[in-house]
Amino acid sequence: MTQINPYLTFSGQCREAMHFYQECLGGELSLQTIGDSPMAAQWPAAVQKNILHASLTNNGIVLLGSDMRDSDVVLSGGNISLSINCSSEEEINRFFTNLSEGGNVTHPLHDFFAGKIGTLTDKFKIDWMFYYTKNPS
């Protein structure tokens, strides 16, 4: 099955961010540092503990990340949001509450057509959209 999975880039905060996302969303987290990779000898000691590749999976959720950039500056983009279609009202409430910790709620969870919707920017400046359909067809 062909998929598109979000791949987030951080400037040295990938480990912290991915552990936060695991606490918020659950799932299995895999982290590979530059120092533990076949590329280790190509990089200076200062970046050996940075994350080369991270993967968080929980059922249909796949979130990828890295500290690898061509520059030290990561520009926060307002042109993309991670969208989660939740499977229950309990799940949308839990995910929304957890991910809003230290962040900014832009639209609180509220009734929207046949479900609930809400948006926030988390403490790592990642935009999230949440949706739950009460009566899926």
Side-chain angles (χ1 to χ4, degrees):
M1 178 172 77
T2 303
Q3 294 179 294
I4 293 178
N5 297 315
Y7 204 105
L8 306 175
T9 305
F10 301 91
S11 289
Q13 290 185 303
C14 185
R15 179 186 312 274
E16 179 186 355
M18 295 302 284
H19 277 290
F20 175 71
Y21 297 141
Q22 182 184 33
E23 289 172 17
C24 293
L25 304 172
E28 184 176 321
L29 178 60
S30 172
L31 299 169
Q32 181 181 37
T33 63
I34 293 170
D36 290 334
S37 78
M39 300 171 51
Q42 300 173 30
W43 294 90
V47 298
Q48 293 292 312
K49 291 186 178 182
N50 283 4
I51 301 300
L52 176 65
H53 179 72
S55 172
L56 176 65
T57 57
N58 185 1
N59 296 318
I61 296 172
V62 177
L63 187 59
L64 307 171
S66 177
D67 283 321
M68 302 298 291
R69 294 234 11 116
D70 289 338
S71 73
D72 292 335
V73 178
V74 175
L75 300 176
S76 182
N79 61 338
I80 191 167
S81 297
L82 302 182
S83 178
I84 295 185
N85 292 322
C86 297
S87 59
S88 69
E89 196 157 350
E90 181 276 329
E91 186 176 68
I92 193 172
N93 288 327
R94 180 169 38 93
F95 286 175
F96 192 88
T97 298
N98 291 345
L99 285 163
S100 67
E101 183 180 319
N104 179 46
V105 173
T106 48
H107 292 96
L109 288 177
H110 60 279
D111 291 335
F112 183 76
F113 294 105
K116 286 190 168 291
I117 193 168
T119 60
L120 62 85
T121 302
D122 72 26
K123 64 183 178 181
F124 297 99
K125 299 189 180 1
I126 302 296
D127 293 329
W128 293 82
M129 298 172 61
F130 299 83
Y131 189 71
Y132 164 64
T133 302
K134 292 180 182 178
N135 298 315
S137 44

